[in-house]
Amino acid sequence: MLSRRLPIGAFACWMLLIGLLWSMPSAAQEITPAASTSPDITSKVMLTPSPFASLLKDAREKANPQQTTLQQQPGQPPGQQPTATPQPAQQQQAPGQQNGTSHDRLFWALPNFLTVENAENVPPLTAGQKFKLVARGIYDPMEFVLVGFVAALGQASDSDSSYGQGAHGYAKRYGTVYGDTAIENFMASAVLPSILHQDPRYYQLGHGGFKKRAGHALSRVIITRSDSGQKQFNYSEIFGAGSAAAISTYTYHPQNERDFGNVATTWVSQMGWDAATYMVKEFWPDLRKKPHKDKQQ
């Protein structure tokens, strides 16, 4: 019985071996994708990742952190250098666009940091940001130049005769003008807006005729926005300018000027100066873009 089973078993083994060898070419064709094969052919082959792949990846990232920002684009040949992945639009924006502040300057010189030309999706300012923006404008070098010019005008017209003339009189006028400006800016654009939760920035209208835009600029003296974006009476401007006028009048102004009449005069003059500044802020972007248009033409 054993002698009869050996040939039969050997014959079965040979048939099995021949069948395996016959099926190997077709199996190789299924595993190896041809050039004309559809992209879905890779889904038929499941390769088990190495257990050391994550360790090797972490080691490469620590060794070359800059290369981790480069990614192979879909459909890009393996031999080409991978291109950098574009950053989101919010990361490419300037810091002034991110926090709703401006880096612009009026006439390319005077600070214009509390102006918003694009009022869409502007985040509210915190109390700290309000103080920082005001301080940034007050301590700007061009602000000292502007104060010096105003003090020179007062010196030429001898506006405060008690100050006298010469360097001594000019120094008094300079300190008075700078003190009035600094106190009014802090009270109207930082202190009261932080307490009352109002927005001290000027939002440019940017469209319409001259009358419409001029009316918008002048109305910002009595109309403002809250931190939540609602229109409100501009308590910060009105009472900020008034309190600043009272503080400056009864502290460092001459004794003969410490009365309510001088407080009212300073109060009105500061509000008038702010209204004129709003007019310049409204139309300054148009003046700023005009030289570029002339160069293109």
Side-chain angles (χ1 to χ4, degrees):
M1 296 293 294
L2 181 61
S3 61
R4 293 181 178 178
R5 291 179 180 177
L6 286 177
I8 296 175
F11 179 78
C13 291
W14 277 106
M15 293 298 295
L16 179 62
L17 181 60
I18 293 173
L20 291 175
L21 293 175
W22 184 267
S23 61
M24 284 181 65
S26 60
Q29 291 178 0
E30 290 182 3
I31 296 175
T32 304
S36 60
T37 313
S38 62
D40 296 335
I41 193 67
T42 56
S43 62
K44 297 181 179 181
V45 182
M46 300 299 294
L47 299 179
T48 304
S50 172
F52 303 98
S54 60
L55 298 177
L56 293 175
K57 182 179 179 182
D58 295 339
R60 286 196 300 267
E61 290 179 355
K62 292 180 181 179
N64 300 315
Q66 295 180 354
Q67 294 182 358
T68 58
T69 58
L70 301 178
Q71 297 179 358
Q72 192 75 23
Q73 298 294 330
Q76 185 178 12
Q80 292 186 3
Q81 185 71 19
T83 57
T85 303
Q87 299 295 329
Q90 294 181 354
Q91 296 181 1
Q92 294 180 352
Q93 292 180 351
Q97 295 176 347
Q98 291 181 5
N99 55 23
T101 60
S102 174
H103 294 272
D104 185 38
R105 290 177 177 272
L106 298 175
F107 306 106
W108 299 281
L110 301 177
N112 189 29
F113 307 142
L114 283 172
T115 300
V116 178
E117 296 183 17
N118 186 6
E120 296 180 359
N121 301 324
V122 177
L125 296 176
T126 63
Q129 289 175 332
K130 295 173 184 178
F131 276 90
K132 288 180 180 179
L133 284 174
V134 173
R136 181 182 166 198
I138 287 296
Y139 300 128
D140 188 84
M142 292 307 301
E143 187 70 20
F144 293 99
V145 176
L146 178 61
V147 170
F149 177 74
V150 176
L153 293 179
Q155 181 91 345
S157 61
D158 196 17
S159 58
D160 298 316
S161 57
S162 60
Y163 288 151
Q165 293 294 322
H168 186 70
Y170 180 78
K172 288 183 177 180
R173 289 181 173 86
Y174 189 97
T176 300
V177 174
Y178 186 82
D180 292 348
T181 303
I183 294 175
E184 197 270 338
N185 286 351
F186 271 107
M187 292 300 297
S189 301
V191 177
L192 289 183
S194 299
I195 297 174
L196 302 175
H197 301 286
Q198 290 188 329
D199 195 337
R201 294 170 291 189
Y202 175 77
Y203 289 81
Q204 182 206 15
L205 183 61
H207 60 85
F210 175 81
K211 292 183 179 180
K212 182 178 180 179
R213 296 177 65 181
H216 170 80
L218 296 176
S219 65
R220 296 310 98 180
V221 178
I222 58 176
I223 299 175
T224 189
R225 292 189 181 190
S226 64
D227 288 339
S228 59
Q230 299 178 354
K231 288 185 178 181
Q232 290 184 350
F233 181 78
N234 200 347
Y235 296 101
S236 300
E237 171 68 28
I238 303 300
F239 295 107
S243 59
I247 293 172
S248 61
T249 298
Y250 291 104
T251 53
Y252 53 84
H253 276 253
Q255 290 288 342
N256 58 347
E257 295 182 359
R258 296 184 180 181
D259 53 26
F260 181 77
N262 187 64
V263 172
T265 302
T266 305
W267 187 357
V268 173
S269 63
Q270 288 179 343
M271 292 182 59
W273 178 261
D274 290 342
T277 303
Y278 291 154
M279 287 284 291
V280 176
K281 289 183 176 183
E282 176 63 32
F283 294 100
W284 163 243
D286 302 270
L287 300 175
R288 183 186 60 204
K289 297 176 183 177
K290 187 176 180 180
H292 298 284
K293 294 182 179 179
D294 295 339
K295 290 181 180 179
Q296 292 178 357
Q297 294 176 356

